[in-house]
């Protein structure tokens, strides 16, 4: 399937529309992609178009793209019987797996869409957007007063246990943040293929779907994520200019984003970095040589598979 | 309980009322607060759906809406939802969408609320506005302006056009709660302003409902009424309103779901698998106990009912809804919610499923009090609770340990007793289910437990019908009261002392057993040949102190049947030793006149058989000596007496009669042990009850009494010319050791009859008042002789005792009736060999003993010349070849023909003579018989008759 990316990116009038169309195109792409590698490959074109020609769309991303946190805030209002499962680092690569498994179990999702992470695409920033100091604040129903979902009237938890061992309290509203995939990524960061294999089998396992069913008991359920991830060893462009490498190394090390300590010198064209939320964030599929090697799997920057996450809504049981 | 959580409002120390007010002065009314709250506690019942559909876009033919129903059904609640549906349609739509997803209803998901209306909601019974249009002008967004217009017109009544204009300016939804209450409370006329309030209201309601019908795009009218019996409703009813009356087909299930949703914030979040695990036992027991006759296929559905109601049992909800809360004082769902919330609060964490047994009658938690308060109007409910508590207390203090579920059972029975009308009470199966929680209760264990409970609580009624409902009554259950009293051993001890308010019955139970036993053995209608004496518990050591004066040995005048209450150990030997020693110790004379009636081998001792003593006590309490003066108890007497008697009747089946006596070593005595048998309907059966005394006598006579031995004994006495008195006295005592075996004493009359019988056989003569009486020579048969002797010599009492015995040969002449020389009297028939008369000086024929055998009597010797009848006199020479057969007693022709079979006479045997005897016939009858004799046969005829003896 070929998508008219240049049409989407260059012909639309408003950034909002562009991002909506990009997300729906990504949605369609992910549904019909045959493998994570194929999905990555098909994002190379839009990613390069965005970073190298339409970088102001990245600048507009934080305000104009439909973000997961906003969707959650709208969806998780204080009515009874809803659950949110945030699978940390779930990306569009996993969406077809989820859908296939759901179908195999006869579950018809109410809605499937693609939403955007925060900028930078990190867990902490997503947590902040929900009114949390950090992800761990949700642990053991320890949500702070300002928690934005359900007006605070819900049970929250952060878990890293195997899915079959996760307890689901009989509370009407639940927010469960599961760190399984993120943990997996950090554990296996040199081996993206392993990640894909494990993720695929786990997401199709009975343990995972039993948890889903327990969550669905009397509750509508949304499965989504704080951010996706990028497989950098397949990045399309490597920065080769030694000056630039020097600057990038100094500023980011081997990361995709860094807190702003001094203003970015805007002498690159097209720009490599944007600033948001007092963070410098690398745009596009760019990597550079660093001591110890650039991590094979990363997130935090602005590339489509990092910022786009699945949103799957399922009916209650 | 699986983390099930009540909603916050039910968790406080004081539970708030669940009534919903649309508007309150402190702005806390349901229509004033944010819709979230009311929506979160709303379950979309069919009625809610109807109401919302009526204000949805799809509903084109809109009409006024009337909510009709009793207090507490949720009218105000629905109105509040409608208010928000108008005011914040998006919120309500999203709420509907949520529920549509949960209930899988596309209709709900796609329901779209009307938009653009301004809701005006008011519980009008508050009388904030005496005139409805004041409410409209006050609260309508453009009200101020139109109030000015109205005042300008100067009419007392706003015209319809004005109203229409106002509603056109801003379409309105007018929601009037408690409409009927308000309307009926309106005075006809306000005496201050002179306004005709009621008539204005009547008229104005008509206008509003007409506008609502004719122009629904500008006005929606919603009112609530209690029933249709009022003018206010009639005015609206003319416009054919949508009526929401809480009576839909799904109302019951809806209410169940509504209750669970309203009570718990997370009922829907409990996985069914967990519930099945929790309540599975109850569900399957329920199917087993209550749906006995249903197919296994129904099981799934029946169990589903339980899981749908969890944490409450379907029986509890039914009971509360359909029975208890039908009381007019109860506020339906409102009270139900409170009661359920409270019971869950106090019991929810302790039990897998809440049943009526969880309303502890003696509990300190609130649910019970709320319940009682809810129905307090009904007389006696508070009292009933106290009674149930007292009963529970009684069961506990009675020291019965086998009622582990006493509290639950009493509570369940009490709960079920509160239903008004005839439905009160619960059947044992239902009660069984009520106390079934985590594990099943064995049927037998339950039965035993329930029986114990009933026995110990005097206010439980209904146990007389097996399987029927049991209930607590204010009045005491006389049956249980009797039982409770009978159970209390303290009241029956010999030394029991009455205390205040407590009557005691020392020893009455034992006495009653003895009385009943005597009554059984000695019925008032027949008199027995033996005296029945029931020995008391202390019979071994002091048998005579607690029997009647007349029953003591000194007064004995006939055979005595001593009823031995205890089982005697050691088999026959034990009986010989015990009774022998007893006899030697406690009876000084007439030792041979005693029959010991012994309990059956497997029976317990009479006075230590708890079951027997218990039923005796019950029977006693209901008898006239007990509480029988009260007809309630007297009516029960039969019930308690019957089992007692039945048990007593079959208790004794052996008796012992002395055979060998040894005073020196009484343990060497020997007794004959037999079962009393009696002839009934041609067969012999084991005697029971009143048949025992005659059965004993019959059996002795038949089995133990040997006439030959007795005859020898008598003849020996006759030889000594003893008086009957001394013979009798000898018979009453057993012979000393080595002097042979005792002849059973049959009673003086019976023995004397045997003496007469011996006399009739000619072996004995009796000297009665100086006259010797014996068999006369003319007495052809034994019967004749006996009849004669009986007529002459039968005496009783002292007269009998003074009769002297004598042997025929030993009697001097003169005083003996001497038979006449052979004169052919009407005597023994069929006499065979006629011996030449041997006329002795004694005058009595020397009769060798007659022997009997076969079907007839073979008389080897006959009376001298006493051969008469249709027969041939044979020469007085012995012809041994001739055999003689005779039937024993008069019989019919057929039976006489049958005699040939028994005599074994060949059919072709020539009969020397045949002799048929008739007696007591008339000449006419004889003639008839003669006519039947075939003419070829010839016979002689002889008749005997008295002169002038016409019949």
């Amino acid at each position: 399937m070929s998508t008219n990316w240049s049409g989407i990116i260059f012909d639309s009038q408003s950034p909002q529309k562009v991002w909506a169309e990009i997300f729906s195109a990504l949605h369609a792409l992910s549904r019909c992609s045959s493998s994570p590698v194929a999905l990555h490959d098909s994002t190379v074109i839009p990613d390069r178009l965005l970073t190298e020609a339409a970088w102001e769309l990245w600048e507009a991303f934080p305000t104009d793209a439909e973000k997961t946190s906003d969707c959650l805030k709208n969806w998780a209002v204080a009515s009874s019987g809803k659950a949110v499962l945030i699978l940390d680092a779930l990306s569009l690569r996993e969406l077809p797996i989820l859908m296939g498994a759901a179908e195999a179990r006869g579950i018809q999702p109410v809605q499937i869409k693609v939403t955007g992470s925060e900028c930078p695409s990190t867990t902490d920033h997503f947590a902040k957007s929900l009114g949390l100091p950090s992800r761990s604040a949700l642990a053991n129903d320890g949500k702070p007063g300002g928690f934005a979902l359900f007006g605070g009237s819900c049970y929250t938890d952060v878990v890293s246990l195997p899915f079959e061992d996760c307890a689901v309290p009989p509370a009407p509203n639940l927010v469960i943040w599961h760190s399984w995939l993120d943990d997996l990524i950090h554990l296996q960061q040199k081996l993206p293929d392993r990640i894909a294999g494990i993720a695929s089998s786990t997401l199709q396992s009975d343990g995972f779907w039993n948890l889903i069913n327990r969550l669905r008991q009397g509750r509508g359920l949304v499965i989504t994520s704080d951010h996706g991830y990028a497989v950098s060893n397949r990045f399309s462009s490597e920065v080769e200019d030694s000056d630039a490498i020097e600057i990038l190394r100094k500023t980011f090390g081997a990361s995709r984003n860094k807190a702003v300590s001094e203003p970015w010198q805007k002498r690159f064209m097209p720009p490599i970095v944007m600033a948001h939320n007092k963070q410098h964030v690398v745009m596009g599929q760019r990597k550079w040589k660093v001591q110890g090697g650039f991590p094979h799997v990363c997130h935090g920057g602005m590339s489509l598979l990092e910022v786009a996450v699945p949103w799957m809504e399922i009916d209650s049981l | 309980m699986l983390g099930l959580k009540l909603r916050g409002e039910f968790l406080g120390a004081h539970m708030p009322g669940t009534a919903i007010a649309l508007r309150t002065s402190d702005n806390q009314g349901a229509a004033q607060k944010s819709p979230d709250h009311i929506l979160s506690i709303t379950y979309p019942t069919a009625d809610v759906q109807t109401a919302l559909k009526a204000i949805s876009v799809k509903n084109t033919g809109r009409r006024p809406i009337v909510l009709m129903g009793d207090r507490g059904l949720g009218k105000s609640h629905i109105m509040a939802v409608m208010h928000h549906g108008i005011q914040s349609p998006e919120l309500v739509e999203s709420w509907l969408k949520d529920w549509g997803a949960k209930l899988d209803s596309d209709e709900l998901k796609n329901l779209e609320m009307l938009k653009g209306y301004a809701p005006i909601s008011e519980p009008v019974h508050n009388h904030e506005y005496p005139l409805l249009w004041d409410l409209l002008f006050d609260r309508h967004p453009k009200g101020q302006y139109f109030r000015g217009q109205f005042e300008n017109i100067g009419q007392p009544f706003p015209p319809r056009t004005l109203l229409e204009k106002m509603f056109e300016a801003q379409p309105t939804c007018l929601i009037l709660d408690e409409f009927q209450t308000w309307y009926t409370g309106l005075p006809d006329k306000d005496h201050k302003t002179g306004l005709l309030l009621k008539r204005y209201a009547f008229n104005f309601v008509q206008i509003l409902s007409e506008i609502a019908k004719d122009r629904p795009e500008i006005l929606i009218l919603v009112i609530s009424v209690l029933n249709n019996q009022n003018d206010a409703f009639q005015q609206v009813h003319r416009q054919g309103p949508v009526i929401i009356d809480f009576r839909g087909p799904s109302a019951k299930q809806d209410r169940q779901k509504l209750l669970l949703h309203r009570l718990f914030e997370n009922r829907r979040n409990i996985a069914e698998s967990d519930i099945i695990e929790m309540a599975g036992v109850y569900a399957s027991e329920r199917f087993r106990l209550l749906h006995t006759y249903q197919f296994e296929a129904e099981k799934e559905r029946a169990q589903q009912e339980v899981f749908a109601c969890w944490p409450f049992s379907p029986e509890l909800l039914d009971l509360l809804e359909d029975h208890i809360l039908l009381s007019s004082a109860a506020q339906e769902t409102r009270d139900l919610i409170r009661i359920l919330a409270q019971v869950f609060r106090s019991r929810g964490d302790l039990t897998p499923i809440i049943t009526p047994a969880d309303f502890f009658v003696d509990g300190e938690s609130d649910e019970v009090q709320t319940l009682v308060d809810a129905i307090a109007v009904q007389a006696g409910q508070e009292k009933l609770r106290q009674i149930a508590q007292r009963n529970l207390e009684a069961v506990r203090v009675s020291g019965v340990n086998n009622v582990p579920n006493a509290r639950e059972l009493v509570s369940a029975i009490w709960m079920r007793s509160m239903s008004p009308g005839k439905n009160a009470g619960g059947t044992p199966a239902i009660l069984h289910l009520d106390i079934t929680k985590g594990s099943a209760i064995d049927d037998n264990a339950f039965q035993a437990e329930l029986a114990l409970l009933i026995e110990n609580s005097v206010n439980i009624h209904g146990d007389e019908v097996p399987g029927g409902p049991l209930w607590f009554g204010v009045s005491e259950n006389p049956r249980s009261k009797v039982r409770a009293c009978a159970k209390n051993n303290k009241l029956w001890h010999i030394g029991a002392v009455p205390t205040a308010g407590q009557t005691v019955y020392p020893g009455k139970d034992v006495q009653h057993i003895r009385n009943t036993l005597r009554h059984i053995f000695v019925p008032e209608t027949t008199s027995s040949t033996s005296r029945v004496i029931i020995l008391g518990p202390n019979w071994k050591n002091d048998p005579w102190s607690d029997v009647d004066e007349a029953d003591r040995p000194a007064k004995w005048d006939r055979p005595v049947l001593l009823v031995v209450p205890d089982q005697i150990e050691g088999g026959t030997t034990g009986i010989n030793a015990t009774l022998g020693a007893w006899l030697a110790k406690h009876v000084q004379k007439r030792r041979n006149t005693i029959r010991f009636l012994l309990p059956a081998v497997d029976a317990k001792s009479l006075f230590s058989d708890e079951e027997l003593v218990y039923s005796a006590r019950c029977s006693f309490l209901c008898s006239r000596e007990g509480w029988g003066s009260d007809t309630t108890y007297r009516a029960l007497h039969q019930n308690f007496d019957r089992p007692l008697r039945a048990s007593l009747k079959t208790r004794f089946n052996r008796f012992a009669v002395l055979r060998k006596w040894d005073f020196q070593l009484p343990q060497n005595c020997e007794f004959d042990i037999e079962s009393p048998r009696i002839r009934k309907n041609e067969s012999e059966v084991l005697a029971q009850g009143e048949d025992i005394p005659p059965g004993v006598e019959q059996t002795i006579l038949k089995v133990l009494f040997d006439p030959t031995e007795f005859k020898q004994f008598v003849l020996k006495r006759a030889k000594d010319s003893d008086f009957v008195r001394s013979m009798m006295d000898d018979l009453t005592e057993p012979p000393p050791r080595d002097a042979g075996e005792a002849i059973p004493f049959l009673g003086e009359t019976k023995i004397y009859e045997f003496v007469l019988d011996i006399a009739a056989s000619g072996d004995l003569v009796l000297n009665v008042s100086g006259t010797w009486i014996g068999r006369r020579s003319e007495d052809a048969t034994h019967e004749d002789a006996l009849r004669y002797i009986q007529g002459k010599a039968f005496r009783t009492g002292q007269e009998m005792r003074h009769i002297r015995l004598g042997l025929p040969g030993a009697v001097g002449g003169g005083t003996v009736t001497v038979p006449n020389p052979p004169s052919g009297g009407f005597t023994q028939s069929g006499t065979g060999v006629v011996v030449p008369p041997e006329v002795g000086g004694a005058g009595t024929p020397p009769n060798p003993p007659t022997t009997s055998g076969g079907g007839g009597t073979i008389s080897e010797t006959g009376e001298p010349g006493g051969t008469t009848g249709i027969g041939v006199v044979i020469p007085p020479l012995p012809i041994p070849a001739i055999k003689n057969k005779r039937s024993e007693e008069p019989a019919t022709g057929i039976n006489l023909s049958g005699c040939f079979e028994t005599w074994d006479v060949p059919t072709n045997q020539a009969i020397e003579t045949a002799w048929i005897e008739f007696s007591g016939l008339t000449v006419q009858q004889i003639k008839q018989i003669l006519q039947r004799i075939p003419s070829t046969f010839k016979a002689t005829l002889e008749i005997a008759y008295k002169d002038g003896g016409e019949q």
Side-chain angles (χ1 to χ4, degrees), chain B residues 181-201:
Chain B
T181 319
W182 164 74
Y183 185 83
T184 48
L186 277 182
D188 283 339
K189 192 172 180 179
D190 187 345
H191 47 258
K192 265 188 193 164
T193 56
L195 293 170
L196 303 168
L197 290 180
K198 193 147 196 165
R199 195 170 316 157
Y200 286 171

Side-chain angles (χ1 to χ4, degrees), chain B residues 92 518 842:
Chain B
V92 173
R518 175 193 302 280

Side-chain angles (χ1 to χ4, degrees), chain A residues 79-82 170-172 217-219 315-317, chain B residues 2-4 98 101-102 265-266 268-272:
Chain A
S79 79
S80 77
K82 282 180 177 178
Q217 181 65 53
R219 307 175 192 95
D315 258 347
S316 63
L317 266 184
Chain B
L2 296 181
L4 191 63
D98 267 8
K102 286 174 190 166
E265 61 177 45
N266 59 350
R268 284 184 56 84
N269 303 128
I270 311 290
E272 174 134 337

